[in-house]
Structure formats: C-alpha cells, structure tokens
Amino acid sequence: MFGYTLRIKQKNDKADGKSIGVKLGRVCIELGVPVHNVAKTCKVSRTMVYNWFAGISVPRPEKEPMIREFIAFLSK
C-alpha cells in the first residue's frame, strides 16, 4: 500500500468491485503503482484516477480496453 493513504484504501475497499476503475485501484494499491503513472497511461487527471479507485466515477467505455490491458500487465 506504499504511497496510498488509509482513506483511499478504505474508500476502495467499500466501493463496488464490479467497476473496472475500482478493480484497477485494488491492483494499483496492492502493488504500490503511483497514481501519476496510472493517470499518464490512461491520459486522465490524477483526480479522475482517485475517483475511479473510490467508485465515485467510472471510466469512459473507450478507456476500458486500455485499463484491462494495464491490469493484466500489472498482474503478471
């Protein structure tokens, strides 16, 4: 969980795990992937990434394939 606050971790834990953004958050938090790297890869703001992780918002449908690939890459 290095680099993530307890608050972000708690919000991610409470969020609906069916959301691709929440799934991405769980992987990134577990592996300590910086939000900056996720934002840069997905071409969105860091605020948007935090909102995805917390389940506040969901990624646009056109971002989902890229996010699935990113999750797969991180999960190797």
Side-chain angles (χ1 to χ4, degrees):
M1 192 175 94
F2 178 76
Y4 288 94
T5 64
L6 181 58
R7 182 173 172 222
I8 294 298
K9 171 79 169 103
Q10 289 172 336
K11 285 184 173 190
N12 181 262
D13 287 344
K14 290 180 183 177
D16 184 357
K18 295 177 185 175
S19 167
I20 189 75
V22 174
K23 288 178 185 179
L24 174 63
R26 291 183 179 160
V27 171
C28 291
I29 292 168
E30 180 181 332
L31 299 176
V33 177
V35 167
H36 170 78
N37 291 1
V38 179
K40 187 174 180 181
T41 299
C42 296
K43 298 180 182 170
V44 296
S45 69
R46 288 179 295 176
T47 301
M48 183 60 67
V49 173
Y50 282 118
N51 286 341
W52 291 350
F53 286 9
I56 295 168
S57 62
V58 295
R60 291 183 178 175
E62 62 267 17
K63 298 267 184 207
E64 286 193 29
M66 177 190 335
I67 293 170
R68 290 186 193 287
E69 287 180 28
F70 194 52
I71 291 171
F73 172 78
L74 294 173
S75 299
K76 289 183 182 180

